[in-house]
């Protein structure tokens, strides 16, 4: 293509894209006008109006995010038809809704991502735009269907992977690769496992898969929303902008520490405690801990009633306990069964003694009347209530677990390992969260609380009935028609509802605050770190078992984490999970990946490292320093990187000034990384090698290592220097 032809084509594309933006702006005005009108609408029911306002607000947000990179490419078919690809679909309403811009998720857009010279998918050319704001500043063409047809086909991809990193992850709608697209659009209703080494884009692929599922299953997915689980808040903040940038907002982001709403994680377990709590064997401990609180009295408990003294003995309590346990109800709900049996025994004994000589069972009415009086007296008797609380207490998950952890006797009675003993029972750890969640079901609700709520509801209905009665009786203020409306069309229950506070929160807020909320789809990132107990929580959150699971077993650090996907998933979804892998590293340049691969070979020789798509032209370096020089060397790195564009981080073991742990950088990426004291990271626990592997693979451009002792064997390939690297990076192209 000549320069003149290229410039003419560029002007033509800019004109077309400008037309798309004009339609986008017009649609924004239309939606905004309807939104304003809906806010002022008084003729509709409140619920109906709120639903319309929310729908229009969501549509407005979708149109707003589409403004950034609205159109990023074009497909030309072999019959010379043109299809433009972008963030949303735009149609010509005056011309039978002819598509002017195809949503990237639409089936017709798929060829944009998977067509190759060998398999052109009935396409002649793929054109990718480079835009700045609303301006098309450049484009590249790939001629499909013949070898060597690409002029600058990798330009968009290389520009994206070489660009300096910002504050968060970016979407990849313009540069999705074929292997990624196959996973994004995979038609599988169960669990999809995406495994890939560092930099393979597995996280962003999973997020784009969510956007795709929301596109093809909009109604089903939006009703319950999507849950995304990540390893830490920094990671969730890093990925948090991807789905909103794709127009999707009904997504809840959590760490495993957020599974119980309102709970604060403030402590960290030992490796042994984390392993025990993460295993399904802890379920036996929880069940035994509950059973241990269902006690029998050592001595009979005397209850002095008005006319007689009765006692709760071990035999009575044991019978009541057996019946309560046999009911199959959770502990708190089974207390009603326990109470009923004990109450029956005590009232029988009391009636026999009170009625001796004048009352027999043949006088059924008198017998039952006396029983009713005695039941009421017991229900209001403080000593009886105290006895029930001692023998079958109402328990909360937090109370049960905190008291278990702080008592050697209770741990022993529950068959638990002594390593779970701690002084501060309610200093919760991440490993405690799934146990607390499990106990919600094992203990059940407090029926007394439920009954109080029902009483309040009944009182509101009774009050509303009184108001309604007044409306009906005011005949002097109502004609016959009003009288009919008040009496026949308005009910006390309806009127009571008006006194209740309406929940106006968005779905995301309601779901995050509700432990019993269930999601349509769940994404689990860094899934290799989740324990068996974590998976139980997640399976409860998603009854439909629709998951996208993302991880890399080679990066597992948790002692309770996954050693195989089969072990974790097969018990829940037998035969309903599929495995896909990503093999190309888009983040880590070849120079850095060579170093990380040497380490991987040492601690996980059976795992093949991903192949880097590019080189950066800068060799990773190492520098040996003394303890006195360490702080200055770190400050030197931070100062040098502050002068460059992009992001940087210092990763090291505890105690290194200004450093963060490798586990806190999982899933994140930086332009430059300084790893401090790798020899200590390796020595820190059984998963130290995985921790160091994570640290080495966070950099997209520059990697440096500071070490005090001898450099670990796997890192001896680093270029040794006395003052770090001052040379700016040189970008080197790398063919796809």
């Amino acid at each position: 293509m000549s320069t003149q032809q290229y410039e003419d084509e560029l002007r033509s594309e800019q004109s077309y894209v400008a037309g798309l933006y004009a339609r986008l702006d017009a649609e924004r005005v239309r939606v905004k006008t309807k939104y304003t009108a809906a806010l002022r609408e008084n003729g509709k029911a409140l619920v109906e109006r709120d639903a319309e306002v929310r729908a229009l607000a969501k549509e407005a947000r979708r149109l707003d995010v589409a403004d950034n990179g609205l159109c990023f490419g074009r497909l030309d078919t072999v019959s010379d038809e043109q299809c433009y690809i972008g963030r949303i679909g735009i149609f010509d309403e005056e011309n039978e809704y002819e598509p002017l811009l195809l949503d990237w998720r639409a089936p017709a857009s798929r060829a944009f991502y998977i067509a190759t010279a060998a398999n052109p998918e009935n396409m002649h050319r793929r054109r990718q735009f480079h835009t700045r704001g609303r301006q098309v500043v450049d484009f590249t063409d790939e001629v499909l269907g013949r070898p060597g047809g690409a002029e600058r086909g990798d330009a968009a991809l290389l520009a994206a992977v070489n660009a300096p990193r910002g504050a968060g992850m970016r979407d990849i709608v313009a540069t999705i690769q074929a292997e990624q697209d196959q996973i994004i659009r995979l038609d599988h209703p169960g669990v999809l496992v995406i495994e890939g080494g560092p930099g393979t884009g597995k996280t962003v692929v999973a997020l784009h898969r969510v956007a795709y599922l929301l596109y093809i299953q909009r109604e089903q997915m939006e009703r319950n929303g999507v849950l995304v689980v990540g390893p830490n808040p920094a990671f969730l903040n890093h990925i948090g902008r991807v789905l909103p940038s794709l127009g999707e907002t009904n997504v809840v982001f959590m760490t495993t520490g957020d599974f119980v709403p309102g709970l604060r994680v403030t402590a960290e377990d030992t490796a042994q405690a984390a392993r025990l709590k993460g295993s399904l064997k802890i379920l036996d401990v929880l069940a035994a801990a509950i059973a241990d609180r269902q006690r029998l009295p050592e001595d009979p408990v005397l209850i002095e009633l008005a006319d007689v003294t009765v006692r709760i003995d071990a035999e009575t309590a044991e019978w009541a306990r057996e019946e309560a346990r046999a009911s199959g109800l959770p502990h708190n709900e089974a207390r009603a069964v326990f109470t009923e049996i004990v109450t029956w025994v005590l009232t029988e004994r009391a009636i026999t003694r009170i009625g001796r000589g004048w009352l027999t069972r043949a006088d059924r009415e008198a017998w039952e009347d006396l029983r009713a009086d005695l039941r009421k007296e017991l229900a209001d008797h403080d000593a009886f209530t105290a006895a029930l609380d001692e023998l079958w207490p109402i328990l909360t998950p937090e109370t049960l677990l905190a008291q278990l952890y702080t008592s050697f006797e209770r741990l022993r009675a529950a068959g638990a390992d002594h390593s779970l003993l701690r002084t501060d029972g309610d200093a919760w750890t991440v490993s405690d969260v799934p146990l607390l969640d499990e106990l919600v079901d094992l203990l059940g609700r407090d029926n007394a609380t439920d009954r109080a709520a029902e009483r309040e509801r009944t009182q509101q209905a009774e009050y509303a009935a009184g108001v309604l009665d007044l409306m009906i009786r005011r005949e002097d203020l109502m004609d016959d028609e009003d009288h009919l409306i008040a009496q026949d069309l308005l009910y006390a229950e309806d009127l009571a509802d008006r006194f209740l506070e309406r929940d106006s929160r968005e779905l995301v807020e309601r779901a995050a605050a509700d432990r019993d909320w269930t999601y349509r789809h769940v994404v689990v990132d860094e899934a290799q770190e989740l324990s068996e107990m974590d998976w139980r929580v997640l399976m409860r959150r998603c009854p439909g078992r629709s998951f996208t699971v993302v991880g890399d077993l080679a990066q597992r650090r948790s002692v309770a984490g996954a050693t195989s996907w089969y072990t974790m998933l097969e018990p829940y979804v037998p035969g309903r999970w599929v495995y896909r892998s990503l093999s190309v590293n888009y983040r880590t340049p070849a120079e850095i990946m060579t170093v990380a691969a040497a380490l991987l070979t040492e601690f996980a020789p059976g795992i093949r490292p991903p192949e880097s798509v590019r080189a950066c032209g800068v060799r990773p370096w190492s520098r040996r320093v003394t303890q006195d020089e360490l702080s200055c060397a770190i400050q030197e790195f931070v100062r040098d990187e502050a002068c460059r564009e992009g992001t940087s981080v210092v990763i090291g073991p505890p105690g290194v000034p200004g450093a963060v742990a490798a586990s806190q950088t999982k899933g994140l990426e930086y332009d430059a990384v300084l790893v401090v004291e790798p020899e200590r990271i390796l020595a820190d626990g059984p998963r130290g090698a995985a921790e160091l592997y994570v640290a080495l693979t966070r950099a997209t451009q520059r990697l440096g290592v500071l070490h005090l002792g001898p450099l670990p064997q796997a890192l001896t390939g680093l270029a040794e220097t006395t003052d770090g690297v001052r040379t700016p990076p040189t970008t080197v192209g790398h063919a796809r």
Side-chain angles (χ1 to χ4, degrees), residues 151-419:
E151 294 179 8
R152 288 175 292 176
D154 282 335
L157 174 63
L158 290 175
V161 297
N162 281 315
R165 266 46 188 175
M169 180 178 285
R170 298 164 292 191
D171 66 64
I172 58 169
V173 287
T175 59
I176 293 172
Q177 301 301 293
E179 71 167 358
Q180 297 172 330
D181 185 80
Q182 290 173 0
I183 294 173
I184 289 170
R185 299 175 192 263
L186 184 66
D187 182 15
H188 180 70
V191 177
L192 167 63
V193 176
I194 307 173
E195 184 163 28
T200 53
K202 53 188 179 293
T203 296
V204 74
V205 166
L207 296 175
H208 283 68
R209 175 168 170 76
V210 170
Y212 173 72
L213 292 175
L214 282 163
Y215 177 78
I216 65 172
Q217 303 175 20
R218 177 70 60 187
E219 184 176 346
Q220 305 97 306
M221 296 283 283
E222 286 194 337
R223 189 178 301 120
N224 292 82
V226 174
L227 172 64
V228 176
V229 179
N232 53 61
F235 173 82
L236 294 179
N237 184 58
H238 178 65
I239 68 171
R241 67 175 62 182
V242 175
L243 285 167
S245 76
L246 299 172
E248 309 300 348
T249 56
N250 281 354
V251 181
V252 176
F253 293 89
M254 285 186 183
T255 68
T256 54
D258 300 323
F259 287 161
V260 176
L263 188 79
R264 290 184 64 246
V265 172
T266 59
E268 186 173 347
D269 274 316
T270 64
Q272 173 68 354
R275 183 183 63 79
L276 293 172
K277 293 177 184 179
S279 169
L280 291 181
K281 294 178 182 178
I282 199 69
L283 293 172
D284 294 332
V285 172
L286 297 180
I290 294 173
D292 182 53
R293 305 301 295 272
Q294 299 163 355
R295 313 300 292 269
L296 303 179
E298 295 182 5
D299 299 306
V301 179
L302 301 181
I303 309 294
E304 295 185 6
L305 302 178
D307 299 317
V308 67
T309 297
V310 291
R311 65 179 190 172
I312 306 174
D313 53 30
E315 183 181 8
T316 298
E318 185 175 17
W319 177 32
R321 185 174 69 175
E322 288 177 358
E323 292 294 327
R325 289 176 176 176
S327 71
L329 294 171
H331 169 84
N332 289 335
E333 296 171 29
R335 172 173 160 134
V337 178
F338 181 86
T339 303
E340 180 64 27
I341 297 294
V342 173
T343 300
W344 186 87
V345 171
L346 296 190
T347 55
E348 280 290 303
R349 291 174 178 172
I351 294 171
T352 300
R353 294 173 61 184
I354 294 172
R356 183 176 295 136
W358 65 270
L359 180 63
T360 67
R361 288 186 183 276
D363 191 352
R364 171 173 259 173
E365 184 176 351
W367 191 286
E368 292 303 325
D369 286 345
L370 183 53
R371 184 194 299 280
D373 292 340
L374 289 168
R375 288 176 65 93
K376 185 177 186 305
E377 187 176 357
L378 281 172
D380 296 333
H381 201 289
D382 291 341
F384 182 64
T385 301
L388 293 177
D389 289 341
E390 178 66 25
L391 301 176
W392 198 287
I394 292 294
L395 298 170
T396 66
E398 291 82 0
T399 299
L400 177 75
L401 211 54
Q403 292 177 351
L404 176 68
Y405 288 152
T406 54
S407 170
F408 180 80
E409 290 74 19
R410 284 196 168 119
L411 284 171
R412 183 174 56 187
D417 191 279
H418 65 84
S419 63

Side-chain angles (χ1 to χ4, degrees), residues 624-636:
R624 186 163 186 171
V625 295
T626 65
Q627 186 66 56
D628 293 338
E629 296 170 331
L630 181 62
S631 181
C632 290
I634 293 173
Q635 293 175 15
E636 182 183 342

